[in-house]
Amino acid sequence: NGHGFFRGNTFSGNSAYGVNCLGTQTIDACYGYWGDLSGPYDPSDDTLSGGWYNPAGQGDAVSDHVNYDPWVGTPMSTDSDHIPDQWELDHFLSTVAVTDDSDVDVDGLTDLYEFAYGTDPDEQDSEGDGMPDGYEAGQRFNPVIDDGREDADMDRFSNLREFLSSSDPRDP
């Protein structure tokens, strides 16, 4: 039913699709390597509805509802971490400014996980719900969705209130 995060993966050599979304929610496959510098093959022009279009791509094919932009032209990181060089350049203008274990915004989420979750490595609270990204990831919340008003343990105290009072949002 299609949604998820597949950032920074290699999609290459598949016979039909590198990523095929069967639902309507968008799959995040940004910073993926598609088997060719030109990116994935996407002949379906759905840009008017917020989708993507890359008919000149020579890499593995993608279906609609797959966000693959930006992609990387090579599957490796040249500085020996697990963060794609292009992501590092997009956010830090350098491929050596961060490592897997660095935490530039000091939110408790390493820069490797900032990349993996799709959060902003320069903002402690990427989506602005009042809880730092690292806290949300540690509580198994989604740090790119505003879930501060939700109540994970159904005790009538919001996730944000539990965070602010240092109580456990998973223990009623």
Side-chain angles (χ1 to χ4, degrees):
N1 61 16
H3 81 230
F5 297 95
F6 301 98
R7 296 170 71 89
N9 282 289
T10 296
F11 307 98
S12 180
N14 294 289
S15 60
Y17 288 99
V19 178
N20 183 15
C21 179
L22 301 176
T24 58
Q25 291 186 337
T26 301
I27 293 175
D28 182 345
C30 294
Y31 298 98
Y33 173 66
W34 298 92
D36 191 86
L37 182 63
S38 63
Y41 174 61
D42 180 6
S44 174
D45 186 354
D46 56 341
T47 54
L48 291 178
S49 63
W52 298 267
Y53 182 51
N54 189 28
Q58 298 295 306
D60 277 22
V62 295
S63 68
D64 288 343
H65 306 292
V66 176
N67 180 3
Y68 51 80
D69 187 23
W71 64 81
V72 296
T74 160
M76 64 183 72
S77 175
T78 59
D79 61 348
S80 302
D81 60 23
H82 297 93
I83 304 170
D85 289 347
Q86 187 60 53
W87 187 85
E88 291 183 74
L89 290 169
D90 288 349
H91 292 281
F92 302 106
L93 305 177
S94 167
T95 61
V96 295
V98 297
T99 66
D100 291 349
D101 298 321
S102 62
D103 182 9
V104 171
D105 59 7
V106 194
D107 63 356
L109 195 61
T110 67
D111 293 317
L112 175 62
Y113 282 101
E114 297 269 9
F115 160 71
Y117 279 109
T119 54
D120 186 337
D122 293 316
E123 292 288 333
Q124 291 186 342
D125 181 13
S126 291
E127 83 289 38
D129 65 2
M131 300 179 291
D133 296 340
Y135 172 82
E136 290 188 73
Q139 295 299 328
R140 299 182 315 276
F141 299 151
N142 187 334
V144 295
I145 294 175
D146 181 347
D147 47 15
R149 286 177 247 163
E150 294 178 17
D151 182 9
D153 58 9
M154 300 175 65
D155 63 357
R156 298 192 321 226
F157 296 107
S158 71
N159 296 338
L160 177 59
R161 183 172 176 187
E162 301 248 20
F163 164 71
L164 293 172
S165 64
S166 299
S167 60
D168 186 344
R170 300 260 180 216
D171 183 16

